[in-house]
Amino acid sequence: MTKKRKDHESCSNEDSKRSRPLNDPVSPESNASILVPDTPQSPIKKKVSIIVPDTPQSQIKKKVSSANSSLGNGCDLSKIEQEGAEDGFSDEDFDIDDFSTTTIENPLHEFTKYNRYIVLGIEITGNLKVVYCKQASSEAKVTLKLSGEWYHCNIVPESYIHVICDTDPNNEIDISNENSNMVILHPDILVSPTTISSSVRCPRQAVLGEVFKPTVGYSCNEVMLQGTINHALFDAALRNQNFDDKFLQEKLVDVLESDEIIDSLSCMDLDKEYMVEKLTPSIKLLSAWTNKFCKASGATVSYGQQGDEVTKIDKVLDIEENIWSPKYGCKGKVDATVRIHSQSKSRVSPIEVKSGGSRNSLGSVDHRAQVILYTMMLEERYKDKVEKGLLYYIKGKQTIGVPSSAVERRALTMKRNEIAGALYDILRREKVQLPDLVNDKMSCKYCNHQLSCSLAFKSFEDMDSDFHPYPEMLENNISTLSQVHLDYFKKFSRLCLQEAQVSNKSSKMPWDSACKKYSKLTLTNVSSNHGFYHNFTFRFPINPRNTFLRLGDYVIISKEDGSAYNLLAGFITSLTDTTLELYSSDTNLENSPHHRTGPSYFLTPHSSLSSLHTSLGNLTSFMAPGERAEKWRRCVVEGAAPHFNNTLFSYTQEAGISREYAAGEGGDLLLSLNEDQRAAVEKAVAVDDYLCVLGMPGTGKTSTISCLIQLLVARGNTVLLTAYTHSAVDNMVMKLPPSLDVVRLGAPGRIHPGVKARSSQVLTSHIRDPKMLRQFYQSKAVVATTCLGLKHSVFEYRRFDYCIIDEASQITQPICIGPLLLSDRCAKFVLFLLFDLYELPSNKFIK
């Protein structure tokens, strides 16, 4: 359906410098106006934008005007094939030395060489788009000539691009349908194959999924859980090279004993016996498949127009291989990387495993696209041609060969560029302009991003309902919202984007020479305890007080030679002048095929956009239909005053209750409170909806919270206790007496040692029954976690009488909304604010 935007507004750049969308690097900020050189192809001089590196030679005053460039429809991916199925998988094993001597014919195909260019200007002549570039690492200039489908690439001045070409570029590179040359837009925006493949049907959904991610509640269902377990069994069979039914049955029991699975079962109130019954048929299918492809002489696989091939898995190279690809601008995990023997040749191949089945013999178009993208990423990792992959549907008993042709690679690269371009506009330039809606009612009806799509349509795109292809769906999502609510959503979304730009301003990727790093790290040992603790030694001693590293920081470990990035990511749990300990919940680097002894690694900081995702996700959920959301919108957006009941409050009586509850542990707390502290406690007990408590440092806010929680629990209430930082949550928990029934949720590496005895990992380590685990969490009077830690399964079924947020004035309002969104489970909401509410930069959010 063709439609036009009504007075389309893009976000202002006034208050923002830049953003680093999904790992985009910092681009130079100095700009200048230039004239495109006169060439035979460009007889007319055009004023365009140029980005000039910040060097002493180029501190030039800025004056920019942009050249026009058109956004085309990209490439039709219907060439790949047809419809649908399911998802999932898990970890590692192998030796990579066989590939270390691989020779590369052309030096430009060196997979660790990244041809980064800055776009100086663009000129369009007929069906030819000429792009003038400068190499990012030098003053060398190059001209790109884009034609065919590449003509539609939405390249913009001042942006970074990566050029892949077959020949020495010299001064001109021809990029067309007639050769295999490619342009990767914004290459440091890493997009997952899952996102790219979903954009084949709806690019808008793919972009929304990368920005407006769900943030509250536990996203798990039985089908997803069965898929996860099936992948774990497939993993175990390949890793151990044991494909017997009996072995897989034993492994199923082991998998069902893992913390993650027990947690998921407790969330859905399912037991292990039920899952064993459901998954036993899959064990037989997995055993038959792995025996056929790994132990026997192989099996015949159809590779479409390329014919049938007898295919046998010679060796498992890696399981759940995590790949960051700066060459193709992608990131993701490959279910299984194997070496396949076919037609007297040995080759590297990805295997994508799906739990369900496909409705046709070619597999889902989305799933085929994933496999093709994995072949491209594995080429970069293994420095070897990867021209085919396998797609295996467990329940469907289908094994499909997926060739990776130049046409399909080009089409998917253009889809990836379309997504990266939209993310660049949203996260760096605050220009929330999404791909157009698709005219596909079924896709829209079952889309997980219906709400965020509708909100963007009415707020950022400012469109009339008449222009929506399915107005009834639009009305279902936003009929309860007024213009005030839409303006609130738009305003705070913009503020969140601006905040992300500032906080990620100096972030750089591991392959960037300007990235902060520590080189020549040696892995000495790995220990396991609810995850994996990696111990590294520095080549030279460091000063822990004079470094960018801090306890609790999230960092990335990569290969020193640049052959593999993000082999390990985790939190720093210990730091000395010679050693560093890193905690990862799911990765053991010693099991990686890329692990090497000696000083083989380097460490870099990692700036995540999780806070932005949480904020935008909270704002989206805050606009959802429903009585509870409407109630809180009246309080927050419309400014409704809080309501208080007429509960009689006797300090003597309440102190008696508290004393009896906390005998010998400060039962006189209430009587020791001063007048203001008592007033805060009295108001908190009497409030029906929300209460804000304001106090200067040293006025006893934390002590008041501790007293209030003890009193509420003594009165039979339950409490959700939150704050923005782990340290703030831990400080509050340490103030509570040992007899108080508290559980602290959070990653082990982020919890203070003084609180670990109350952590969920310690308290539930002996519980192996899902129903008992559910009972444990339901029985706890106080649950403590950060505002960003609300995706735990407990919030799917627990209800709380009170929610308390400490240091709320240090939190932006969209983050505060997270706990508030659990308000159908929280009868009352109490915020404790710092004294400088009107001084902090965040006051524009709080007010």
Side-chain angles (χ1 to χ4, degrees), residues 347-368:
R347 67 171 188 266
V348 176
S349 177
I351 301 178
E352 179 68 12
V353 182
K354 302 298 179 184
S355 293
S358 172
R359 293 197 290 267
N360 62 71
S361 60
L362 295 172
S364 160
V365 62
D366 299 22
H367 300 157
R368 290 176 66 88

Side-chain angles (χ1 to χ4, degrees), residues 396-439:
K397 298 189 256 187
Q398 300 158 287
T399 304
I400 300 165
V402 183
S404 181
S405 72
V407 171
E408 291 163 328
R409 288 187 175 205
R410 180 173 67 241
L412 289 169
T413 298
M414 297 192 73
K415 281 293 178 185
R416 182 254 160 223
N417 286 347
E418 183 181 1
I419 296 167
L423 293 175
Y424 177 84
D425 283 344
I426 293 171
L427 300 170
R428 170 171 288 187
R429 305 200 299 177
E430 300 173 61
K431 183 182 176 183
V432 185
Q433 185 170 344
L434 300 168
D436 286 337
L437 289 156
V438 295
N439 198 353

Side-chain angles (χ1 to χ4, degrees), residues 392-631:
Y392 171 42
Y393 293 100
I394 298 175
K395 292 181 181 178
K397 298 189 256 187
Q398 300 158 287
T399 304
I400 300 165
V402 183
S404 181
S405 72
V407 171
E408 291 163 328
R409 288 187 175 205
R410 180 173 67 241
L412 289 169
T413 298
M414 297 192 73
K415 281 293 178 185
R416 182 254 160 223
N417 286 347
E418 183 181 1
I419 296 167
L423 293 175
Y424 177 84
D425 283 344
I426 293 171
L427 300 170
R428 170 171 288 187
R429 305 200 299 177
E430 300 173 61
K431 183 182 176 183
V432 185
Q433 185 170 344
L434 300 168
D436 286 337
L437 289 156
V438 295
N439 198 353
D440 183 343
K441 190 166 187 176
M442 293 304 291
S443 293
C444 289
K445 182 178 180 180
Y446 296 105
C447 177
N448 293 326
H449 301 283
Q450 252 194 60
L451 180 57
S452 57
C453 180
S454 300
L455 288 168
F457 184 86
K458 289 296 289 184
S459 60
F460 286 105
E461 296 174 316
D462 196 16
M463 298 280 279
D464 287 328
S465 301
D466 295 342
F467 290 104
H468 197 284
Y470 309 109
E472 68 283 359
M473 290 186 191
L474 181 68
E475 285 303 306
N476 287 340
N477 287 307
I478 65 169
S479 59
T480 59
L481 301 179
S482 68
Q483 190 58 47
V484 172
H485 299 137
L486 292 172
D487 290 342
Y488 175 93
F489 173 80
K490 185 175 182 178
K491 170 188 173 182
F492 279 94
S493 294
R494 284 177 170 177
L495 290 172
C496 291
L497 292 171
Q498 290 174 2
E499 184 191 36
Q501 288 179 351
V502 173
S503 62
N504 290 283
K505 184 174 183 178
S506 60
S507 302
K508 295 182 183 293
M509 298 301 284
W511 44 85
D512 192 318
S513 59
C515 183
K516 296 176 183 177
K517 64 179 68 176
Y518 278 104
S519 300
K520 306 291 185 182
L521 271 67
T522 300
L523 179 63
T524 54
N525 66 78
V526 180
S527 59
S528 61
N529 181 18
H530 299 289
F532 301 96
Y533 290 84
H534 297 73
N535 289 284
F536 292 90
T537 57
F538 296 103
R539 188 180 186 186
F540 302 107
I542 68 167
N543 182 353
R545 294 184 178 181
N546 187 27
T547 174
F548 65 85
L549 300 177
R550 296 288 183 272
L551 287 178
D553 281 358
Y554 194 73
V555 296
I556 287 172
I557 299 293
S558 305
K559 285 289 290 293
E560 184 68 36
D561 60 6
S563 61
Y565 296 101
N566 194 18
L567 288 173
L568 172 68
F571 299 102
I572 298 175
T573 53
S574 175
L575 179 65
T576 71
D577 58 344
T578 57
T579 64
L580 175 140
E581 183 182 68
L582 198 65
Y583 168 79
S584 172
S585 61
D586 59 359
T587 303
N588 183 347
L589 185 55
E590 286 184 328
N591 290 340
S592 169
H594 308 285
H595 169 56
R596 294 292 180 271
T597 58
S600 305
Y601 303 101
F602 73 90
L603 175 152
T604 54
H606 178 58
S607 296
S608 169
L609 288 176
S610 60
S611 181
L612 173 66
H613 294 148
T614 298
S615 298
L616 295 179
N618 286 350
L619 286 169
T620 302
S621 300
F622 193 49
M623 297 294 140
E627 182 182 345
R628 292 291 181 176
E630 289 177 28
K631 168 193 169 182

Side-chain angles (χ1 to χ4, degrees), residues 371-406:
V371 175
I372 293 167
L373 289 161
Y374 288 138
T375 64
M376 297 163 67
M377 295 163 65
L378 288 176
E379 275 191 0
E380 180 179 358
R381 172 63 61 88
Y382 287 89
K383 304 179 178 66
D384 194 33
K385 285 289 184 184
V386 182
E387 298 173 333
K388 299 174 184 176
L390 291 177
L391 179 55
Y392 171 42
Y393 293 100
I394 298 175
K395 292 181 181 178
K397 298 189 256 187
Q398 300 158 287
T399 304
I400 300 165
V402 183
S404 181
S405 72

Side-chain angles (χ1 to χ4, degrees), residues 23 67 156 176 238 242 303 335 354 363 370 375 381 385 400-401 450 525-526 557 645 657 683 757 770:
N23 308 316
V156 295
S176 68
L238 290 182
N242 190 334
Y303 288 88
D335 285 350
K354 302 298 179 184
Q370 282 180 261
T375 64
R381 172 63 61 88
K385 285 289 184 184
I400 300 165
Q450 252 194 60
N525 66 78
V526 180
I557 299 293
N645 57 48
I657 294 174
K683 287 286 188 182

